[in-house]
Amino acid sequence: MKMANEVNSPAANVTRANEEDSTTNRLVPAANAHFGSQQGNSQRTSGIHRNDWEMLSLDVSMRQVNVSGEGPSQSSLYCQSDAANDFGVKFPPNYNWQATKTSVKERFSFMFNNEILADVHFIVGRGEAQERIPAHKFVLSVGSAVFDAMFNGTLATKGDEIDLPDIEPAAFLSLLRFLYSDEVQIGPETVMTTLYTAKKYVVPALEKACVDFLERNLCSENAFLLLTQARLFDEPQLANLCLDNIDKNTNEAFSADGFPDVDLSTLTAVLERDTLRIKESKLFQAIQRWAEAECLRRHIPVTGENQRAALGSALSLVRFPLMTVEEFASGPAQSGILTDRETVQLFLYFTVNPKPSVGFLDVPRSCMSGKELTVTRFAQVESRWGYSGASDRIRFMTDRRIFIAGFGLYGSIHGPAEYDVSLQLIQNTSNCVLGSNHTTFSCDGTNYTFRVMFKNAIEIQPNVSYTASATIKGPDSHYGTKGQRKVTVDCHGDGKVTFQFQYAAGNNNGTSVEDGQIPEIIFYT
């Protein structure tokens, strides 16, 4: 036909344009895909007229998209060539973007936060921070059962826009990024909101990534804050790690800037623990600081009465009897938080015997979560050990860190009796008294040992020499013989600890490695 001879085929034009200008060769794959690569097939190419190109141009224009997502710009790819211009073909930005993506992950990642093929939009956040985010129902349904029910369930939403006022835009984008690409992008500012979003849409892998991030960045400065969030989001593993951190760094955790911001329930849960390593006087100062902040949050005057009301039952968890009378007199007694009756009862507790009943615990905190253990250094018990005012003393060291809670002491050989005793634990190199307690204990006349405890457990470092000292006033008692220089204690699943005992030179009331008082040391690992 004459017309076929007069009109060149589109494929031939594309080929010629490719030969004349190599910068336009990116159009060739698209043309070949549409018309075939066999240029010699005159039957196929000769039948393609300008009207066909116009139809192609219309088809392309119908598929033009507005791209607002992330990723490299595709506007320079697959642009029209000179040959295409001859027929008025205008290729849109990102036309045939699929050909540049070599894997499913790359194609899905490209569609993240991208209007291409988007069939749903989320209105995320509130106020000025609100964002309109495009998404694809198929991708979301594959990654989350909640989205699957939202789009495909019996009560599936019909709208193209979904409001999410309770979610932060940054957190929602983190969720979408994970669903589209398996990439986790979280930071200190977004991890908690991302964790909330991951839990809401039941994406456990992202939830775990958030928890792992929090665990890696847990410290005494943020332990209370993270504990609050862990309890709120029902993350028991993270909550336990926070509590362990608070146990080991109690002073630092209670001194952190964020501590006064915790909720009362979290504060109460921590105060109930027997494993805090802090003096009760310091603990009272901390909760007083919390109560002041709570009064300000409630917009009420910071008075003793209002602070007590803010603390509620948490106040009863402070172990005032474990304070010294000086600590109590200079702090709690003047705070206005305690009632006059409580103040008087506690002063009597500190100064008279028998001690009156008070409404506060007087059991020392163990400072560790492990079970209480005891090392016994004598193999046999004998009678008549006297006291003349000198201290019974024995030196020791261990091969691992432990926490000394108290001593076991022998009692009277004359039947029931009461002893007055002063305990001390001394670090020998510095001659520093690490802990002390002046108290009494009663015995029943048997040759068993009787517990006498420090107010707070005392941390002992491995391979460091210490002296256990007890100054006892009372009748003659039992004593131990056949002492051992080296004793190993099984710690019930927590390994072992070995004690080595040595003679304490000086006036020691006769106690030695072989015989004497202080038959037991009570400790935790």
Side-chain angles (χ1 to χ4, degrees), residues 392-396 407 424-425 466-470 518 521:
D392 288 273
R393 302 161 66 234
I394 188 69
R395 297 179 64 174
F396 70 95
F407 304 146
Q424 283 189 330
L425 188 63
Y466 299 89
T467 295
S469 173
I518 316 181
I521 295 178

Side-chain angles (χ1 to χ4, degrees), residues 107-158:
R107 291 190 282 276
F108 275 39
S109 297
F110 179 80
M111 295 171 68
F112 162 66
N113 197 22
N114 199 322
E115 291 287 351
I116 290 180
L117 302 179
D119 55 359
V120 66
H121 289 78
F122 294 91
I123 310 303
V124 185
R126 300 175 184 271
E128 296 181 357
Q130 190 177 80
E131 292 187 24
R132 186 175 186 267
I133 299 175
H136 308 79
K137 293 180 180 179
F138 169 75
V139 179
L140 271 57
S141 298
V142 169
S144 162
V146 175
F147 283 126
D148 189 18
M150 181 186 296
F151 300 132
N152 308 306
T154 55
L155 300 176
T157 181
K158 303 300 183 182

Side-chain angles (χ1 to χ4, degrees), residues 26 116 129 187 207 243 258 296 300 316 328 357 383 417 419 442 452 494 511 514:
R26 286 170 292 186
I116 290 180
E207 179 184 340
L243 289 170
L296 295 177
I300 58 177
S316 65
F328 179 76
S357 174
S383 297
Y419 287 84
S442 298
V452 185
D494 189 23
T511 288
E514 290 76 20

Side-chain angles (χ1 to χ4, degrees), residues 4-80:
N5 292 330
E6 291 177 351
V7 179
N8 293 327
S9 71
N13 279 336
V14 170
T15 304
R16 185 173 63 253
N18 182 43
E19 293 171 348
E20 293 173 354
D21 185 355
S22 61
T23 63
T24 64
N25 61 8
R26 286 170 292 186
L27 177 60
V28 174
N32 286 340
H34 238 293
F35 305 115
S37 59
Q38 298 182 7
Q39 299 179 26
N41 190 340
S42 60
Q43 181 178 0
R44 182 172 186 177
T45 58
S46 63
I48 299 176
H49 298 74
R50 182 176 297 274
N51 288 340
D52 296 311
W53 282 105
E54 290 173 354
M55 291 300 294
L56 172 61
S57 177
L58 176 62
D59 175 66
V60 169
S61 65
M62 292 292 289
R63 297 170 60 189
Q64 287 184 338
V65 292
N66 177 28
V67 179
S68 62
E70 297 182 7
S73 173
Q74 303 292 317
S75 61
S76 62
L77 299 179
Y78 299 94
C79 61
Q80 66 184 72

Side-chain angles (χ1 to χ4, degrees), residues 177-226:
R177 184 187 299 277
F178 182 79
L179 294 180
Y180 279 77
S181 66
D182 285 337
E183 293 181 11
V184 177
Q185 287 193 8
I186 51 179
E189 298 81 11
T190 61
V191 61
M192 297 310 307
T193 53
T194 303
L195 176 60
Y196 168 76
T197 307
K199 291 183 75 70
K200 178 175 180 177
Y201 291 103
V202 193
V203 184
L206 181 58
E207 179 184 340
K208 183 179 184 301
C210 292
V211 173
D212 290 344
F213 178 89
L214 293 170
E215 291 176 0
R216 290 193 303 270
N217 292 275
L218 174 63
C219 65
S220 58
E221 283 294 316
N222 61 24
F224 267 106
L225 172 63
L226 294 185

Side-chain angles (χ1 to χ4, degrees), residues 218-269:
L218 174 63
C219 65
S220 58
E221 283 294 316
N222 61 24
F224 267 106
L225 172 63
L226 294 185
L227 176 61
T228 300
Q229 300 297 325
R231 287 163 55 86
L232 176 64
F233 293 141
D234 190 25
E235 290 289 344
Q237 179 181 347
L238 178 59
N240 288 333
L241 288 173
C242 292
L243 289 170
D244 288 343
N245 188 283
I246 293 171
D247 283 344
K248 296 175 182 178
N249 307 281
T250 310
N251 279 293
E252 294 84 352
F254 276 99
S255 300
D257 292 339
F259 162 69
D261 298 328
V262 304
D263 61 282
L264 180 59
S265 175
T266 299
L267 176 64
T268 301

Side-chain angles (χ1 to χ4, degrees), residues 404-426:
I404 303 297
F407 304 146
L409 301 178
Y410 289 120
S412 173
I413 60 174
H414 302 297
E418 184 173 283
Y419 287 84
D420 181 273
V421 59
S422 292
L423 303 183
Q424 283 189 330
L425 188 63
I426 304 165

